[in-house]
Amino acid sequence: MIISRTRRSLLAAAVLLGAATGATQVLAQAKPPVRIGAILPLSGAGTFEGQLGLEGMQAAANIINAKGGILGGRKIEIVSYDDKSSPDEGVSAARRAIEQDKVDALVANMFSPIALAMKEVTRGKILHMVLAPQHPKVTEEGHKWLFRLNETTVMRGGNFSKFICTNMNLKSVAILAINDDYGRAEAGNYGKWLAECGVAVKGTEFFQGTDTDFNIQLTKIRGMQADGIYVAASATSQGATIYRQIKQLGYRGTVIASGGNMNPKLIELSGASIEGVYSVSPYVEDVPNPIAAAWRVEYAKNYKNATSFVASLAAAGLEVTAAAMDKAGTSTDYDKIAEAIRGNTWNTVLGDTKFDNIGQGFIASYIVQVKDGKIVTTSKAN
Amino acid sequence: MFWDIFLQQVANGLVNGMGYVLIAVGLTLVFGVLRIVNFAHGEFYMLGAFVTFFAIKLLGVPYLAAVLLATIAVAGMGVLANQVLFKPLRREHEFTILMVSLGLSLLLANGGEIVFGADPKYIPSPFADEAVELGPVFLTWQRIIVLVAAAILIGLVYLFIRFTTMGKMMQATAQNRDGAALSGVNIDWVHTYTFALACGLAAVSGALLGPTAVIFPTIGEWAVLKAFIVVVMGGLGSMGGAVAGGLLLGIAEALGANYISIAFKDAIGYGIVVAVLLWRPAGLFVARK
Amino acid sequence: MTGLRIPGAAALGIALLLALPLAAVGDYFQHLLVLWLLFALMALSLNIIVGYLGELSFGHAAFFGLGAYASAMLTVHAGLPFWFGLLASAVVAGFFGLVIGYVSLRIKGPQFAILTLGFGAILHSVFINWIDFTNGPLGITKIPPPRIPLLGFEIRDGVPFYYLVLFFLLLSAYLCRALMRSRTGRAFIAVRENDVLATSLGIDVFRTKLLGFVVATMMVGVAGCLYAHYIKVITPGLFTLHYMAPMIIMVIVGGKGTVTGPIVGALVYVVLLEVLRASGSMRMLVFSVLLTLSVIFLPGGLVSLLPKWRGQGGREKAND
């Protein structure tokens, strides 16, 4: 093909221009993103919680990126993985994230069994920020790059049980808890603390994570004729059904919700039956916190769900990880990042957040009550 | 106090049991007439609940109208499933059909998760929260409706099968398909009718039981499991067996859980099933062959 | 039939399996390979019941769990060595298989399915509620990796673990093949195809089924043990139906009644697990479509596609 000389020059100019533009694009994006592996239940039992977590995390990342990212302009990129609420899937996901996708850190986990299995894979390999699981062995048998953001039951419970003892005027209580590590810990601890301050525990019953109807369990509990029922239900769907059915069975005493489960969806599904119920929660929306306020705006822009504790936990986990990387000046030197995490107090959507030497997180918590369908803070718990 | 708890648990068991029966009747009908073990039966239960929910939410229809709408819609879906999947495979080995129904079940449940979303939903029925006090027993209107509607529907189905022409054709097909065909019964028509009836019943159970708790796309798994247990315990293809099995399971679960162990509630239920099957392998009532 | 004659195709397959880890670079692929073999072992065991005996057992996962817990409890709580735990897994799973099989196997079809489901659910309930014995929902953590007694080194994961599982898989595959080529195997086929006729030929149907069932449960018990020492954390979730549907899919899609079928089915499952990692619901959707299509158009499973097999189709089926 014969091209005229002018055409050829024009062509050459166009190519050069294109190359130059391309080069500047490449240069501008020369900073690779910091990739965070979010391994969460996106199917199976914890699908809803996993989804909320992912949304919360992404909203937090958006805010960080809008401010220019970390480490001199690197944006946070969240790579999500489904642990299918199962330990071997979680392990597979972790291996893939570390090995194949080469993410910089993991911010993950809603359930203890998966966290326990996964930490063995992250040991010595990558920074692992565990979000919700409360099983003590997560940190007791953890590693130097493992952190657990959520408080354990023992940590959260001390002040709430005191509140129940002094403010609620109950002579007796019955406990209904889910049969998993969370429910067992709650039942054991609160049973002990309430008994210690003179509240008689009339009985403790456990339900399974797969139960959909609670009339049978609640009838037995009703029969104990306690002044109050302490409900430790971590799944929103089960909690809502329990609160409704308590009222439907004609129980007129006080209902108390275990910590960390109060969220707008639960209130929406429970209707009037959850009105007046007390709980303790690390995430509240009526205590001033500019970071949380901005996060809520960003969240509402992108997602239909209301903001929740689960989402805030994921957001805070991401915020700490990102901020620590920024402070340590690296996204891959885990010793430095871990040191930074342990050595500082962080401002997150959950307020002041810090970690101890085995990676256990410390966050604020508040006594809350449901009033007119809203979660209202009554006092600080710790 | 003892009687208060006892009577309440018996009431719980009866309501739960009738719920199980309502879910199970469709399954046993499909088996009796079509010789198909339909794993996807639970998903029609789930669809009944979800269509009701969306009818109220998106169309603004009142609850009872939504229930009716859901029943008809899901019955239609059942007919579609039969036409597309089960009818062409009619000549296949029953294991193949079993696997196909398992595939359909997974498809509908997971498709439901993608389309409806995995978050739990609540069907706002006006009957769900208000309870009636019958002495020491508290029952919400919704649960009373379940009890009464189940009894009425099952009674109607029984009368239908016993006395109407279509019903007799269904009986004939169940007893001897080829014989029935030879005597002029339109087997296709009978199958369609049975599927519509079965899926309609599954849908109505979903629509009625849905508001007693919360719904999500995987509740079909629970429903089909319960239905299966009841049907096998009662005798495959036997309606009377389904009633007996359902009530037995419901009451045994409630009383066993209360007086033996709540934690082992599931084990007690299954223990009853295992005991019945070992004692009477064909089920409590064996359907006429 | 002839003795230990390994046909060319099988030898090639075994050689491939032995060489595979060399191609797998990195922890991640090695992990996938181990998972594949573990699932293959599970599917192979279920295949004995589904493919050879022609029954559907919904309680099979419970024996997997029994094996896992038996070994975990002995190695973690009693400090016994791995090989002891392995033996215990097979014995415990097999024992329960014997007891449950003994009371259940006279019953067939859907009733048998529900019966096994019931037993499995009861076992699950025991393991999740008997806190003192099994630690309930908290499960057992820090399960030690297998240790070779003479050489003293640990098999933590990766390539060494692959070969460990491969050893048991090949052993089980050989056992299946040998079983099916023996008189017992022919009895299985006879019982599966027409048990009334089989009885008239003098075959003790019940004994035959029981043998197959116990072998199957022992095999899956071993799989459970290996799983426990690989993932190093187990919970009662192992007893649930969560693992049941995938096992059934692997057997059916791969090809029931064959030895390679379940292995191929497990491969498909693991590959799809990873390819569709992003969305769990989408993944199950694809599986369900696969299952449905496979059952309708490929009743013999994927292995029936291999031309060589198809050529030997009739003969192979009789021998397998």
Side-chain angles (χ1 to χ4, degrees), chain B residues 257-274:
Chain B
N258 196 81
Y259 296 108
I260 305 177
S261 163
I262 293 229
F264 284 96
K265 171 169 78 86
D266 296 331
I268 293 166
Y270 282 108
I272 300 283
V273 176
V274 165

Side-chain angles (χ1 to χ4, degrees), chain A residues 42-216:
Chain A
L42 299 174
S43 67
T47 309
F48 185 51
E49 281 73 22
Q51 194 185 324
L52 291 175
L54 196 58
E55 291 175 356
M57 214 188 290
Q58 188 63 63
N62 291 352
I63 293 181
I64 297 175
N65 291 343
K67 289 196 190 134
I70 59 169
L71 296 171
R74 294 177 68 183
K75 307 271 171 151
I76 309 265
E77 183 191 316
I78 294 178
V79 187
S80 69
Y81 301 84
D82 179 10
D83 67 21
K84 246 191 137 192
S85 312
S86 144
D88 47 271
E89 297 275 350
V91 165
S92 293
R95 291 196 125 113
R96 177 171 177 150
I98 299 169
E99 182 76 23
Q100 285 297 101
D101 301 333
K102 300 208 187 336
V103 299
D104 295 293
L106 291 180
V107 177
N109 302 114
M110 288 290 156
F111 299 123
S112 294
I114 300 119
L116 289 170
M118 218 191 276
K119 68 171 167 58
E120 297 309 319
V121 173
T122 59
R123 188 183 292 275
K125 292 247 172 69
I126 195 172
L127 187 81
H128 185 180
M129 172 70 70
V130 175
L131 297 170
Q134 294 178 292
H135 196 301
K137 294 219 164 135
V138 170
T139 41
E140 279 170 26
E141 294 174 0
H143 58 78
K144 58 182 171 161
W145 297 336
L146 180 127
F147 296 90
R148 185 245 298 273
L149 184 55
N150 200 7
E151 299 176 303
T152 60
T153 311
V154 178
M155 292 161 71
R156 183 165 297 148
N159 288 294
F160 189 41
S161 59
K162 253 189 247 129
F163 178 83
I164 297 172
C165 290
T166 43
N167 296 50
M168 285 192 166
N169 233 331
L170 301 169
K171 287 204 254 343
S172 59
V173 91
I175 301 176
L176 180 66
I178 183 173
N179 184 26
D180 69 6
D181 59 292
Y182 168 75
R184 289 264 162 196
E186 288 280 312
N189 289 319
Y190 278 84
K192 193 177 58 160
W193 292 326
L194 292 175
E196 274 167 13
C197 71
V199 181
V201 178
K202 292 272 182 110
T204 305
E205 296 293 339
F206 293 96
F207 58 89
Q208 309 303 330
T210 46
D211 285 345
T212 48
D213 188 275
F214 303 91
N215 278 288
I216 296 174

Side-chain angles (χ1 to χ4, degrees), chain C residues 182-199:
Chain C
S182 72
R183 188 186 257 151
T184 320
R186 289 201 291 278
F188 282 168
I189 307 275
V191 162
R192 181 186 77 197
E193 296 303 322
N194 190 331
D195 56 350
V196 174
L197 196 58
T199 316

Side-chain angles (χ1 to χ4, degrees), chain B residues 73-250:
Chain B
V74 175
M77 291 181 210
V79 169
L80 189 68
N82 183 40
Q83 286 298 109
V84 170
L85 271 180
F86 297 111
K87 181 166 156 204
L89 296 170
R90 207 191 303 154
R91 296 273 167 228
E92 297 287 331
H93 193 261
E94 60 180 36
F95 190 76
T96 307
I97 301 178
L98 187 76
M99 287 296 120
V100 167
S101 78
L102 179 63
L104 178 66
S105 162
L106 292 170
L107 206 126
L108 290 172
N110 287 286
E113 262 193 348
I114 296 175
V115 172
F116 304 140
D119 56 309
K121 297 175 172 55
Y122 179 70
I123 301 177
S125 157
F127 307 105
D129 278 324
E130 244 187 84
V132 171
E133 274 183 67
L134 301 158
V137 175
F138 278 80
L139 279 179
T140 61
W141 282 111
Q142 190 78 29
R143 289 165 73 76
I144 294 175
I145 289 176
V146 167
L147 196 58
V148 172
I152 294 176
L153 284 170
I154 291 161
L156 285 175
V157 171
Y158 173 74
L159 291 172
F160 176 80
I161 294 184
R162 193 86 200 283
F163 296 113
T164 66
T165 318
M166 175 51 81
K168 290 190 194 156
M169 290 203 280
M170 281 166 70
Q171 283 184 56
T173 314
Q175 285 173 23
N176 187 332
R177 183 170 82 185
D178 295 325
L182 280 172
S183 50
V185 171
N186 184 337
I187 303 293
D188 277 346
W189 201 211
V190 169
H191 283 193
T192 302
Y193 231 95
T194 310
F195 237 99
L197 186 61
C199 294
L201 283 168
V204 106
S205 4
L208 292 179
L209 284 170
T212 62
V214 296
I215 60 169
F216 35 91
T218 49
I219 49 174
E221 192 185 300
W222 166 86
V224 80
L225 203 60
K226 279 291 193 262
F228 235 117
I229 292 168
V230 166
V231 165
V232 169
M233 242 204 332
L236 282 156
S238 162
M239 269 191 63
V243 175
L247 289 174
L248 175 64
L249 185 64

